Amino acid sequence: PQRPPFRDPSLPRLLQSSLSGSAVTQMLACVGPAARDVAETGRVLGYATSARSVKMDPRETQVQDLIDDDPMLHDSPDPDTSLGRRAVWIEARGFGDVFARVVGDPQDPLMLYVHGSNQRNSSMMWNLLVEEMTDLASATPGIPDRFYHVAIDCPGYGRSPGDRQTIRSYPGAFLQSVIHALGRKDAVCISGSSQGAASTFNAVLEFPKLCSFVAVCHPVGHAVQRYSAIKQPTLLIFDTEDAGHPVSVGRIMRAHLPTPHYFEFTRSVDGPWEERHMGEELVRMLARHWGERPRRGAGACCERYPELLRVAG
């Protein structure tokens, strides 16, 4: 025959394009010795015999690789150019490429943002907070009027390749590697949400000089009694109705953290309180402790660590 005798079962139909004469094809007919399988064995052998007689004419398929090497190709103009919003790839040593959304001048002090572990989470969740922080900082005396805001997609989330367990298993090493690749030895503040908050706490416990402030919303944590070792002023925001991030744990965190700035809200009554107030409370915390907490040059560029970035959009 000129073509294989296709039958109704799904497998031959799925293989139809590979069994139509233009590919190098091998067939394995599976039969059984049991007497109860005689009828099926006969049908399989008959089909295999028919298929064997198909005349093949293998041809090499020409594949054209189209490489898009312009990272800005699909971008649209930013309506607010004053923010300098852009996307970058951070080459984090030991962890590979990390996608990040960036606002501000790289010469300004670093603010780093870490999202939660929901599969839909990414650096996008921090967009509103970063915009608010940009406006508030410029109007608040006693702190820098500009910051360099970097919100990362943790490995395996958003556009970053890699293993999703990275941020859970190696939070300190990973966040330190990101900060170093941003050309710094530390950050002014690390902000985290949900599992990103737990990873932020664990990173600061592992590397106490990684940042000067901590800010978390809807945090989770393990053995939070350990947080008594976290000396950084810490902003905490809990929703009393969020069973996945129990406020009872937040109250224990507040009791053990040396310098907590603690807030609770009830979403059914207060609405999305954290979206409206996290920025102003974070700026208020910075202003209150700026003179006492940040080490000289906190979050600033450091010649010891070259910036390892490339444009992503």
Side-chain angles (χ1 to χ4, degrees):
Q2 297 301 310
R3 60 180 180 83
F6 291 113
R7 300 190 298 168
D8 290 334
S10 299
L11 183 58
R13 290 297 177 185
L14 289 172
L15 294 174
Q16 184 167 346
S17 61
S18 297
L19 297 174
S20 296
S22 61
V24 175
T25 305
Q26 294 180 328
M27 174 173 287
L28 177 65
C30 297
V31 299
R36 64 177 181 274
D37 296 328
V38 167
E40 181 64 19
T41 294
R43 286 192 293 271
V44 169
L45 290 174
Y47 176 77
T49 300
S50 298
R52 248 181 104 181
S53 60
V54 173
K55 294 181 179 179
M56 308 298 287
D57 182 22
R59 293 186 298 274
E60 182 179 355
T61 301
Q62 300 298 319
V63 177
Q64 183 178 6
D65 291 329
L66 298 177
I67 300 176
D68 175 10
D69 57 359
D70 181 2
M72 311 288 282
L73 182 63
H74 303 292
D75 281 10
S76 57
D78 189 340
D80 185 355
T81 57
S82 65
L83 293 175
R85 278 184 284 220
R86 56 206 182 276
V88 299
W89 288 106
I90 303 171
E91 299 174 15
R93 182 172 298 176
F95 297 95
D97 287 343
V98 176
F99 181 82
R101 291 175 170 85
V102 175
V103 167
D105 188 333
Q107 299 304 312
D108 293 328
L110 172 65
M111 305 282 280
L112 184 66
Y113 301 84
V114 186
H115 62 72
S117 60
N118 185 290
Q119 63 180 359
R120 295 186 299 275
N121 280 358
S122 74
S123 53
M124 289 287 289
M125 69 170 292
W126 298 107
N127 280 357
L128 293 177
L129 177 61
V130 168
E131 289 183 23
E132 186 180 8
M133 286 289 296
T134 301
D135 293 336
L136 289 170
S138 62
T140 304
I143 65 173
D145 58 1
R146 297 182 306 178
F147 290 98
Y148 180 43
H149 302 274
V150 178
I152 61 172
D153 284 355
C154 294
Y157 293 91
R159 292 178 62 179
S160 291
D163 185 351
R164 288 192 172 188
Q165 288 301 314
T166 297
I167 189 60
R168 294 173 180 262
S169 301
Y170 312 103
F174 171 66
L175 293 180
Q176 184 184 64
S177 181
V178 167
I179 290 172
H180 287 177
L182 290 166
R184 272 94 172 153
K185 66 178 185 299
D186 62 4
V188 169
C189 181
I190 301 179
S191 298
S193 173
S194 187
Q195 181 59 43
S199 298
T200 297
F201 283 134
N202 289 334
V204 173
L205 285 169
E206 186 177 357
F207 298 103
K209 296 182 178 181
L210 197 60
C211 62
S212 296
F213 295 88
V214 173
V216 295
C217 63
H218 313 303
V220 293
H222 172 67
V224 298
Q225 294 80 2
R226 300 174 299 146
Y227 296 177
S228 60
I230 296 176
K231 305 305 180 185
Q232 289 87 340
T234 303
L235 173 65
L236 304 103
I237 299 177
F238 278 87
D239 177 1
T240 60
E241 296 177 329
D242 186 350
H245 308 91
V247 70
S248 58
V249 175
R251 292 166 183 166
I252 299 173
M253 291 181 183
R254 176 178 58 181
H256 286 278
L257 283 162
T259 315
H261 290 250
Y262 183 85
F263 297 89
E264 294 179 4
F265 72 98
T266 302
R267 190 171 298 276
S268 62
V269 176
D270 305 309
W273 188 93
E274 79 283 31
E275 294 181 11
R276 297 197 301 268
H277 297 286
M278 185 172 180
E280 66 184 59
E281 295 303 337
L282 176 51
V283 167
R284 186 173 288 125
M285 179 177 70
L286 294 177
R288 179 175 176 180
H289 297 281
W290 191 263
E292 63 192 56
R293 275 306 305 172
R295 295 174 298 282
R296 186 173 183 178
C301 296
C302 177
E303 292 183 359
R304 180 180 174 185
Y305 301 106
E307 190 178 63
L308 302 175
L309 305 180
R310 63 183 190 274
V311 175

